[in-house]
Amino acid sequence: MPGTKWSFIVPQFQLECGVTLLSPTVCYQSWGTLNHARNNVMVICHPFTGSVDVEKWWGPLMGAGKAFDPMHYFIICANVLGSPFGTASPLSIDSSTGRRYGPDFPPTTIRDDVRLHKLVLDHLGITSVAVVVGGSMGGMTALEWPLCFPGLVQRIIPLATCAKQSAWCIAWGEAKRQIIYTDSAFRGGHYPRERPPKQGLAAARMVGLVTYRSCDSYEQRFGRKLDDPSPHVPHPHQKADDSTVCSTEKTQITVDPAEHPRFSAQSYLHYKGATFATDFDANCYIHLTHKMDTHDITRGRMSAAVDIDEHTALSAVLRTLPPHPLIISISSDVLCPPHEQKILADGIPEAELVVIDSMAGHDGFLVEGERIDAAVVKYLRREFPEFYR
Amino acid sequence: MPGTKWSFIVPQFQLECGVTLLSPTVCYQSWGTLNHARNNVMVICHPFTGSVDVEKWWGPLMGAGKAFDPMHYFIICANVLGSPFGTASPLSIDSSTGRRYGPDFPPTTIRDDVRLHKLVLDHLGITSVAVVVGGSMGGMTALEWPLCFPGLVQRIIPLATCAKQSAWCIAWGEAKRQIIYTDSAFRGGHYPRERPPKQGLAAARMVGLVTYRSCDSYEQRFGRKLDDPSPHVPHPHQKADDSTVCSTEKTQITVDPAEHPRFSAQSYLHYKGATFATDFDANCYIHLTHKMDTHDITRGRMSAAVDIDEHTALSAVLRTLPPHPLIISISSDVLCPPHEQKILADGIPEAELVVIDSMAGHDGFLVEGERIDAAVVKYLRREFPEFYR
């Protein structure tokens, strides 16, 4: 069920940091049609490394009879600032210099994304959004939509996400950035297009890949299985000082000397890391980790004059969110553990919390697509019976 | 309570990989005195980045009235092969070349460590060990002692450890190695002493530091606190392409541009990563990650002629371990989760499993020293009343 991809150019856009972007592009995709009341709107917010191609990462939820059903909704997914997939980012040309922004692309926040994407809705004449749904970073965005535009959004469905980026996730982001900085090809972000820091980006992605799952899921999938020669992974006949080359456009992954056993879990990381380093951009990766670090729904929302503690501030903000959200947890999520969604469910009025019992870890919000689809369909049909008549 | 440090030189030692080390040194430390029966022996096995200076990392357990009490035990802790703290390692001189082994130091296993350290016991005329205790990698070693030398060991106390290195931990090890390989200073391990790959080693350590704790513990300690200028952390007034220098002997940690908030959790990683990169060695670090990957107490112990499944093999091997061990779990351990110690407790005859309820994560076996000390003291007094008379 193909959507339609659009590029929308905003004349200018002031970021929270104070910098004004001139003519930033917003890349978005839409599916289905607006109803007469122009209110059957579903906004999908993509995660960290996702794009507007929702079918690619949330396929089991997309299509006729599924949660994201273009027969019933006008569905829209817009790419966030700093992502390499179409919206203004470090890969864009800075009109003031005529060169790519690279590491000089100004810092952006989840709130910047919401305000920018709102301009697309304005352009489409949309003044009411039925539901905003998103997992992980997309869940942060889903929480920010109704906070940035009170009254606009009827319902939200945040998955595997949090009210504020935790210290642990801040630490993960920092470790990943330091890995990329270690690659001498990074050159402070001023790398030429043809020589990006692929090895550092691949290694950072490997760390991400481990955190996105769980000990149990790796055990079940890989255990202590040794690698067998496969088309996508080079076999180790080299010394550690001879880099071998993965098939994915020559992202270099160093393979250990043959005297070490080669486990399947290692080959999985090599393959996934190398593929990612070819498809993504290091400056964008760093940018997005910083963006998530800024996420805190209480930030700047409580009067500085009132001396209240963090917990009270969080409760006060959560109370203002649209009632009756569907909040989804993955039981084995170590990155945004279930207790973080419990905080959301305890604070947002009349929240429904569904914990998916799964060993898939944080990625469970993607991997457990069919179970999540079932929960979301049930919720949507109950909340919006008018769209299903 | 200072112990005495010793260096013991073995004429030659054949490793499991087949290579024979010539004149390898074993560095060890001992406390207390042997009793008349020469059986009041306590072997302490150090973790991954530990050393024979047990007071430094397990201080709360060491001393009069504590678990490791030299008044009652002859206590010995020997440094493992490949560790940079005295025993033969990549830092040692290869007598066949007159140069340091560096990356050419042959791979070693936990079993090699046990067999090498047993030579020290032989030298001391010890033929019976009361108890072997160790956490994490040290716990792997504690499990291997009685398996390598049946009848030698009376009791074992493995903490925060596993019967076999899990796929998740194999993946962490691989990610950390790839981070070090990303540092161009690594040069396939052939780096000069004065120019080691500190940045890569620091970044790998940062990843370790995050895995060693838990989301909750980072939250409690750091939350979203911003950094305040402190003596050990440089303040960010540089662009990302200007590396700033931590105080720890100039290990370079790249600090992000000032427009990004600087969280305390980041500064913690910078400081700890830089300190570690100064004290440790990259080839040793890589070596030890490979060593842990080989850990599997069933490896080679079941006849190849008998076609049995993994679970049956594990049960068969666990049954041969000394009865009535004390096994300790940390409830929030994500690296060696409590279910891995449950497997040990279910398989070893008459095991006692103590789960320490703590948010400290894997490092809980060190951080929760006082609670662990209490559990171990209670256990030792019951199992070895004769040493306390």
Side-chain angles (χ1 to χ4, degrees):
Chain A
M1 191 165 307
T4 310
K5 270 193 199 174
W6 308 86
S7 282
F8 178 69
I9 298 175
V10 177
Q12 59 177 42
F13 185 77
Q14 189 174 16
L15 300 168
E16 277 204 89
C17 68
V19 174
T20 296
L21 291 176
L22 297 177
S23 310
T25 297
V26 188
C27 168
Y28 70 95
Q29 192 161 185
S30 67
W31 299 258
T33 49
L34 280 166
N35 60 7
H36 187 69
R38 306 183 84 78
N39 68 356
N40 63 330
V41 177
M42 170 183 283
V43 174
I44 298 175
C45 309
H46 70 75
F48 180 18
T49 60
S51 69
V52 300
D53 294 314
V54 179
E55 297 97 328
K56 285 192 183 169
W57 45 271
W58 236 351
L61 281 78
M62 191 62 140
K66 308 273 185 66
F68 310 153
D69 187 344
M71 290 293 289
H72 304 300
Y73 295 91
F74 174 73
I75 304 167
I76 184 167
C77 177
N79 192 219
V80 303
L81 287 159
S83 163
F85 301 125
T87 292
S89 80
L91 296 180
S92 306
I93 301 298
D94 177 355
S95 59
S96 70
T97 65
R99 293 197 310 272
R100 284 175 178 244
Y101 281 102
D104 301 323
F105 190 73
T108 68
T109 65
I110 304 280
R111 296 181 195 178
D112 286 328
D113 294 327
V114 170
R115 290 188 303 111
L116 183 67
H117 294 170
K118 171 65 160 55
L119 298 178
V120 178
L121 299 192
D122 293 347
H123 170 70
L124 298 171
I126 294 167
T127 55
S128 179
V129 171
V131 61
V132 184
V133 55
S136 194
M137 187 185 85
M140 299 175 181
T141 320
L143 291 167
E144 280 290 348
W145 265 100
L147 292 169
C148 290
F149 297 100
L152 176 74
V153 175
Q154 308 311 308
R155 293 287 179 268
I156 59 169
I157 308 179
L159 302 91
T161 195
C162 54
K164 40 179 92 173
Q165 174 89 326
S166 69
W168 217 43
C169 287
I170 289 170
W172 281 122
E174 180 61 25
K176 289 173 179 176
R177 288 188 293 268
Q178 291 296 334
I179 295 165
I180 295 170
Y181 300 157
T182 296
D183 190 336
S184 57
F186 180 64
R187 300 177 56 182
H190 297 284
Y191 45 86
R193 286 183 70 176
E194 64 279 13
R195 288 196 303 282
K198 283 191 178 184
Q199 197 173 358
L201 183 56
R205 177 62 168 181
M206 290 183 204
V207 168
L209 287 168
V210 191
T211 64
Y212 297 153
R213 299 295 173 113
S214 74
C215 187
D216 280 347
S217 68
Y218 266 69
E219 203 54 31
Q220 188 186 54
R221 180 163 177 187
F222 304 110
R224 294 182 57 77
K225 277 202 298 280
L226 294 176
D227 192 32
D228 52 2
S230 78
H232 62 252
V233 181
H235 216 56
H237 293 298
Q238 287 87 345
K239 299 288 288 180
D241 46 347
D242 300 328
S243 290
T244 61
V245 175
C246 272
S247 64
T248 315
E249 293 189 21
K250 298 184 181 156
T251 296
Q252 292 191 333
I253 299 291
T254 304
V255 176
D256 286 308
E259 65 259 29
H260 294 292
R262 177 77 173 277
F263 296 96
S264 300
Q266 293 172 264
S267 305
Y268 167 77
L269 293 186
H270 289 187
Y271 177 65
K272 289 280 195 178
T275 307
F276 182 80
T278 298
D279 296 342
F280 218 83
D281 172 74
N283 282 321
C284 290
Y285 192 87
I286 289 167
H287 179 94
L288 293 170
T289 62
H290 279 305
K291 184 202 293 269
M292 287 186 279
D293 285 355
T294 70
H295 175 63
D296 175 357
I297 63 169
T298 68
R299 179 169 57 83
R301 290 206 167 106
M302 304 308 293
S303 165
V306 187
D307 182 27
I308 56 167
D309 63 57
E310 279 181 39
H311 179 76
T312 308
L314 183 56
S315 297
V317 173
L318 287 173
R319 261 199 308 277
T320 68
L321 278 161
H324 212 199
L326 173 63
I327 298 164
I328 298 182
S329 286
I330 308 298
S331 60
S332 56
D333 190 342
V334 291
L335 221 44
C336 293
H339 75 81
E340 295 199 318
Q341 296 92 52
K342 180 79 165 45
I343 290 170
L344 297 176
D346 288 346
I348 307 176
E350 302 161 63
E352 178 182 349
L353 176 62
V354 170
V355 181
I356 306 276
D357 184 28
S358 161
M359 63 170 70
H362 185 65
D363 262 358
F365 83 92
L366 301 168
V367 175
E368 299 289 357
E370 287 172 19
R371 292 161 75 186
I372 288 166
D373 182 62
V376 175
V377 166
K378 186 178 158 197
Y379 171 82
L380 290 174
R381 285 189 164 267
R382 189 183 60 219
E383 297 297 314
F384 301 105
E386 64 272 27
F387 299 148
Y388 293 89
R389 273 176 207 133
Chain B
M1 191 166 309
T4 310
K5 270 193 200 173
W6 308 86
S7 282
F8 178 68
I9 298 174
V10 177
Q12 59 178 43
F13 185 76
Q14 188 174 18
L15 300 167
E16 277 204 90
C17 68
V19 174
T20 297
L21 292 175
L22 298 176
S23 311
T25 297
V26 189
C27 169
Y28 69 96
Q29 191 160 188
S30 68
W31 299 258
T33 49
L34 280 166
N35 60 7
H36 187 69
R38 307 182 84 76
N39 69 356
N40 63 332
V41 177
M42 172 183 282
V43 174
I44 298 176
C45 308
H46 69 75
F48 180 19
T49 59
S51 69
V52 301
D53 293 314
V54 179
E55 297 97 330
K56 284 192 183 169
W57 46 271
W58 237 351
L61 280 77
M62 189 62 137
K66 307 276 186 66
F68 310 154
D69 187 345
M71 292 292 290
H72 304 299
Y73 294 93
F74 174 72
I75 303 167
I76 184 166
C77 178
N79 192 219
V80 303
L81 286 159
S83 163
F85 302 123
T87 292
S89 81
L91 296 179
S92 306
I93 302 297
D94 177 355
S95 59
S96 70
T97 65
R99 294 197 310 272
R100 284 174 177 244
Y101 282 102
D104 300 322
F105 190 71
T108 68
T109 65
I110 304 282
R111 296 181 194 178
D112 286 329
D113 294 326
V114 170
R115 290 188 304 112
L116 182 68
H117 294 170
K118 171 67 160 54
L119 298 178
V120 177
L121 300 193
D122 292 347
H123 170 71
L124 297 171
I126 293 168
T127 55
S128 180
V129 171
V131 61
V132 185
V133 56
S136 194
M137 187 184 85
M140 300 176 182
T141 320
L143 290 168
E144 279 291 347
W145 264 101
L147 292 170
C148 290
F149 297 101
L152 176 74
V153 175
Q154 308 310 307
R155 293 288 180 267
I156 59 170
I157 308 178
L159 304 91
T161 194
C162 55
K164 41 179 92 172
Q165 174 89 327
S166 69
W168 218 44
C169 286
I170 289 170
W172 281 122
E174 180 62 25
K176 289 172 177 176
R177 288 188 293 267
Q178 291 297 335
I179 295 165
I180 295 170
Y181 300 157
T182 296
D183 189 336
S184 58
F186 180 63
R187 300 178 56 185
H190 297 284
Y191 46 86
R193 287 183 70 176
E194 64 279 11
R195 287 196 303 282
K198 284 192 178 184
Q199 197 173 359
L201 184 56
R205 177 63 168 180
M206 290 184 204
V207 167
L209 288 167
V210 191
T211 64
Y212 298 153
R213 298 295 173 114
S214 73
C215 187
D216 280 347
S217 68
Y218 266 70
E219 204 53 31
Q220 189 185 54
R221 180 161 177 188
F222 305 111
R224 294 183 56 79
K225 276 202 298 280
L226 295 175
D227 192 32
D228 52 3
S230 77
H232 62 253
V233 181
H235 215 58
H237 293 299
Q238 287 87 346
K239 299 289 287 182
D241 46 348
D242 300 327
S243 289
T244 62
V245 174
C246 270
S247 64
T248 315
E249 292 190 22
K250 298 185 179 150
T251 296
Q252 293 192 331
I253 300 291
T254 304
V255 176
D256 286 309
E259 65 259 30
H260 294 291
R262 176 77 173 277
F263 296 95
S264 300
Q266 293 172 263
S267 304
Y268 167 78
L269 292 187
H270 289 187
Y271 177 66
K272 288 280 194 177
T275 307
F276 182 81
T278 299
D279 295 343
F280 219 82
D281 173 74
N283 282 321
C284 290
Y285 192 86
I286 289 168
H287 179 93
L288 293 170
T289 62
H290 278 305
K291 185 203 293 271
M292 286 186 278
D293 285 354
T294 70
H295 175 64
D296 175 356
I297 63 169
T298 68
R299 180 169 56 82
R301 290 207 166 105
M302 303 308 293
S303 164
V306 187
D307 182 26
I308 57 168
D309 63 57
E310 279 181 37
H311 180 75
T312 309
L314 182 56
S315 297
V317 173
L318 287 173
R319 261 199 308 278
T320 68
L321 279 161
H324 212 198
L326 173 63
I327 298 165
I328 298 183
S329 286
I330 307 299
S331 60
S332 56
D333 190 342
V334 290
L335 221 45
C336 293
H339 75 81
E340 295 199 319
Q341 296 92 54
K342 180 79 164 47
I343 290 170
L344 297 177
D346 288 345
I348 307 175
E350 300 162 64
E352 179 182 349
L353 176 63
V354 171
V355 181
I356 306 277
D357 184 28
S358 161
M359 63 169 71
H362 185 65
D363 262 359
F365 83 94
L366 302 168
V367 175
E368 299 289 356
E370 287 172 19
R371 292 161 75 186
I372 288 166
D373 182 61
V376 175
V377 166
K378 186 177 159 197
Y379 171 81
L380 290 174
R381 287 190 165 268
R382 191 183 58 218
E383 297 297 315
F384 302 105
E386 64 273 27
F387 299 147
Y388 293 89
R389 273 176 208 132

